[in-house]
Amino acid sequence: MTEGDGSVSFELHGAVYLYQSTGTRAANLDDLLRLIREADAQTLFLHTQMPRLRSSLGEDTPTDDLSAWVSGVVQDREIGERLAFATHTTSPSIEEVRAALVQVLEAVPERTRIERDAPHGGEFEPLRFDAVSVPTGLHVETPEDLVEALGRSDRTVWFHHLIEEPWLSGPGSALVEWVRATGDRKLADALAGEAASGYSVAESRTRILRRWQRSHIGRRVAEASDRGGLERSASGREVVGNLARRLAGRKRP
Amino acid sequence: MSLVTVDTTGPSLAEGYRELAGSESMQMLEALVRRLEGRRLVMVNSTSSGGGVAEILHRLVRLLNELGLPTQWEVMRGDARFYRITKAIHNALHGAPAVLDAEDWEHFHEMNRAAARELALDGDLVMIHDPQPVALAGLRRRPGQTWVWRCHIDLSVAREDCWHMLAPHVAHYDAAVFSHREFVPKLDVKAYLAPPSIDPLSDKNRSLEPEEERALIDPLDLPARKPLIVQVSRFDRLKDPVGVIQAFALARRREDAHLVLAGGSADDDPEGAMVLEEARERAQGRSDVSLLALPPDAHRTINALQRRATIVVQKSLREGFALTVSEALWKERAVIAGAVGGIPLQVIHDRTGVLVRSIEGCAHQMVRLLRSPDLRRRLGRNGEAHVRDLFLLPREARDYLAVFARAAMG
């Protein structure tokens, strides 16, 4: 955050995630259980939350790497689905995710866990990452600036501030705290709620922008109703016109 | 001169990638170029033509210059003996017995010393590609420079005696980059993973006009009205061409289609010729199977075949990365692939394609996909989006710059 003439601006950062090998691998569900128990927070985050950074692939809930491996490579659909569900938590807590994943795999008899294996060459190899923070050069001063900037930013900007930070350096996110400090509690709550929503970043972005537009239009209509008749109807026409243009995907003339 | 002149004619690459990959996906690359402002990058390898690395460098060097990062490409020279030695090193790193003696290694080092005298190597950032010029860092590195070794080779079965001679040179670098986690050896420097990428503007992947596509397909004498199931791969047992024919034969009991196995001519590859013969025997008497031996530069034909395919198969039993999968996904094809190597990174089961582990599983998925155009369309669309995100050339460029940013600036 930087302070200038009394206002505090926030610089948005994206990130490039450079992957590194951990040197470990799982050939069956029993190995996977061991890996999940021993993995550091960053590795578990990478394989359960980073898939949210990818395209949503036509669905709201991205497939995490662990359940994708179990369903697709080991080809145990039932355990895959249960692991996928276990990655959904109510708060951004790696330990909550770990406990839920371990519980699913511990419920499978040890012999079955060993029998459910990958083909030779299809082992699961967990990774870690080195996040290279990249300043975007975008400094925002108001919540309006922020929403406008986020709307056209690289997906990693959302991911870095709203998902990676609360999960790995939390509690909370510096960006959300900044929004709260500007007085926009609703936007701050909405942004904070995306950390553990399980939605892809693309879907989160759509949800936040849609919600923001709705509340913004409501606010402007309410403000307009306080004005005189002529001014009110002109403002009303402008708001409705803007809404119609947005729905039609056109820019303001 | 050892400096390579990169072709800069024609439309801007940056604009081309922005159009195909989306401007958002170029944002981080452009932000990294700004972060590295004031620095110059030098790429070094051992050839300016032929082979995948030279192909990538022609594009990368031009793209980075267009984006504003001054980038040069220098090629180290060697004599015939040097290239024989580096070919033997290449084979040894792929597991073949090494036949290199002390004199060979001395010649290898002498050629690197000569290159160290000849090349400018005056960038702030230097990326050395593959083992041939690996010794340059120890010979020419000066204070303030950041050196990264980019190894494109699969080192998973490297001969210990050969790697033992190269590893001490890698210790002079700030970081090393490998294509796949299985390729990473034990090292004292930071090792990063940068999956390979496809170039959406290359002949193998660019869009084709219907007439051009027809002109490429017609000479292959394939049935015009039948759905095509295509596997593009060299004739290698690990690509399981015979298994693909067996799966197809099972699927044909339920659905009509035509199978195409397209690979290299195998003229200079005795094992390839043997596998091609096995495939021919298995396909004998079948008019619904075509085996195509294509020349190495048949990029546009492969492009057209993949685009014409109803289903693309990559039923490998072992794999490195298998970029043919990304090529097919980029063309919005429904893909059936073996669950090995780098394939599960590209094919997320039932989202971007389907993964199989057996001949019967492959046959089942062939029937399922042949019967379901909606499923094929959905998988194809998702596959294209997945490749756009992760496996196009601008992402590889972005990863390289991020490695330099981390190594040079922390």
Side-chain angles (χ1 to χ4, degrees), chain B residues 83-205:
Chain B
Y83 291 117
R84 273 201 304 278
I85 291 167
T86 55
K87 176 75 182 163
I89 291 174
H90 183 90
N91 291 341
L93 293 177
H94 280 96
V99 283
L100 296 160
D101 57 25
E103 277 183 25
D104 290 329
W105 282 108
E106 174 48 31
H107 191 72
F108 174 82
H109 288 120
E110 178 47 38
M111 287 289 104
N112 268 265
R113 283 192 290 272
R117 287 190 296 272
E118 189 197 353
L119 302 180
L121 300 173
D122 56 355
D124 308 283
L125 316 169
V126 181
M127 180 169 268
I128 301 291
H129 293 262
D130 283 337
Q132 296 91 336
V134 70
L136 288 175
L139 296 165
R140 274 295 302 277
R141 189 186 170 128
R142 55 177 171 72
Q145 286 186 312
T146 304
W147 286 62
V148 171
W149 186 51
R150 176 42 165 130
C151 180
H152 299 267
I153 296 176
D154 175 355
L155 300 180
S156 58
V157 289
R159 302 280 300 190
E160 194 55 42
D161 48 355
C162 182
W163 175 244
H164 182 70
M165 296 298 288
L166 297 171
H169 297 299
V170 183
H172 292 282
Y173 289 80
D174 295 287
V177 179
F178 298 88
S179 296
H180 192 258
R181 48 200 166 196
E182 285 204 8
F183 304 171
V184 183
K186 276 201 164 39
L187 284 174
D188 291 331
V189 300
K190 275 203 165 177
Y192 294 108
L193 303 169
S197 59
I198 62 164
D199 182 356
L201 297 172
S202 68
D203 274 349
K204 208 188 269 185
N205 297 304

Side-chain angles (χ1 to χ4, degrees), chain A residues 84-113:
Chain A
F85 187 69
T87 62
H88 294 279
T89 56
T90 50
S91 63
S93 160
I94 287 295
E95 291 317 312
E96 198 183 322
V97 172
R98 190 196 309 272
L101 293 169
V102 165
Q103 195 179 10
V104 169
L105 289 170
E106 278 182 344
V108 181
E110 186 182 353
R111 198 172 151 183
T112 311
R113 287 200 305 263

Side-chain angles (χ1 to χ4, degrees), chain A residues 19-20 54-55 57 59 61 63 73-75 77 117 120-122 125 130-131 133-134 152 154-155 205, chain B residues 24 27-28 31 34-35 181-182 190-193 318 339-341 349 351 355 357 382 385 389 402 406:
Chain A
Y19 298 110
Q20 295 177 283
R54 298 178 199 142
S55 279
L57 303 180
E59 296 179 44
T61 311
T63 312
V73 180
V74 176
Q75 300 201 334
R77 195 65 57 87
D117 63 357
H120 184 52
E125 297 182 39
D130 187 353
S133 176
V134 184
R152 58 191 166 86
D154 180 271
R155 259 179 258 166
R205 169 157 59 185
Chain B
E24 196 190 287
Q27 278 182 22
M28 281 299 108
R34 287 197 296 276
R35 197 173 164 190
R181 48 200 166 196
E182 285 204 8
K190 275 203 165 177
Y192 294 108
L193 303 169
R318 283 298 302 270
V340 293
H349 186 65
R351 290 219 174 176
L355 295 172
R357 295 180 55 170
N382 287 346
D389 269 2
R406 167 60 79 231

Side-chain angles (χ1 to χ4, degrees), chain B residues 289-342:
Chain B
V289 177
S290 300
L291 300 177
L292 305 178
L294 300 172
D297 60 350
H299 302 312
R300 288 190 314 135
T301 304
I302 289 170
N303 186 344
L305 264 175
Q306 288 169 328
R307 286 179 189 281
R308 169 77 175 75
T310 303
I311 297 167
V312 172
V313 179
Q314 186 63 55
K315 199 194 156 305
S316 303
L317 302 172
R318 283 298 302 270
E319 260 307 343
F321 195 80
L323 267 182
T324 48
V325 170
S326 276
E327 288 167 11
L329 294 175
W330 176 243
K331 294 163 186 120
E332 297 192 32
R333 298 299 90 189
V335 171
I336 300 173
V340 293

Side-chain angles (χ1 to χ4, degrees), chain A residues 77-251:
Chain A
R77 195 65 57 87
E78 184 201 337
I79 304 294
E81 283 171 356
R82 291 170 63 193
L83 287 172
F85 187 69
T87 62
H88 294 279
T89 56
T90 50
S91 63
S93 160
I94 287 295
E95 291 317 312
E96 198 183 322
V97 172
R98 190 196 309 272
L101 293 169
V102 165
Q103 195 179 10
V104 169
L105 289 170
E106 278 182 344
V108 181
E110 186 182 353
R111 198 172 151 183
T112 311
R113 287 200 305 263
I114 293 168
E115 283 169 358
R116 299 276 196 278
D117 63 357
H120 184 52
E123 295 84 0
F124 181 77
E125 297 182 39
L127 301 174
R128 64 169 71 96
F129 66 83
D130 187 353
V132 179
S133 176
V134 184
T136 60
L138 288 170
H139 293 261
V140 292
E141 304 208 336
T142 64
E144 285 82 358
D145 284 354
L146 173 68
V147 172
E148 198 271 331
L150 283 178
R152 58 191 166 86
S153 292
D154 180 271
R155 259 179 258 166
T156 63
V157 174
W158 287 78
F159 189 79
H160 177 62
H161 289 297
L162 301 177
I163 300 174
E164 182 196 343
E165 221 182 289
W167 278 86
L168 292 182
S169 345
S173 130
L175 178 63
V176 170
E177 290 316 306
W178 176 83
V179 175
R180 214 177 287 286
T182 66
D184 197 330
R185 190 176 48 81
K186 269 190 174 174
L187 179 62
D189 288 345
L191 292 173
E194 290 305 320
S197 70
Y199 282 109
S200 69
V201 170
E203 184 62 23
S204 279
R205 169 157 59 185
T206 307
R207 279 156 45 92
I208 293 283
L209 293 180
R210 201 182 292 142
R211 187 185 298 186
W212 168 263
Q213 282 173 352
R214 272 203 305 264
S215 69
H216 203 57
I217 288 167
R219 197 181 309 160
R220 292 184 65 185
V221 169
E223 281 167 11
S225 67
D226 290 339
R227 297 183 206 132
L230 275 176
E231 197 188 346
R232 195 162 58 224
S233 56
S235 295
R237 276 198 302 276
E238 191 198 339
V239 168
V240 173
N242 285 344
L243 177 61
R245 272 190 291 277
R246 261 198 295 272
L247 291 174
R250 294 204 315 263
K251 286 188 178 144

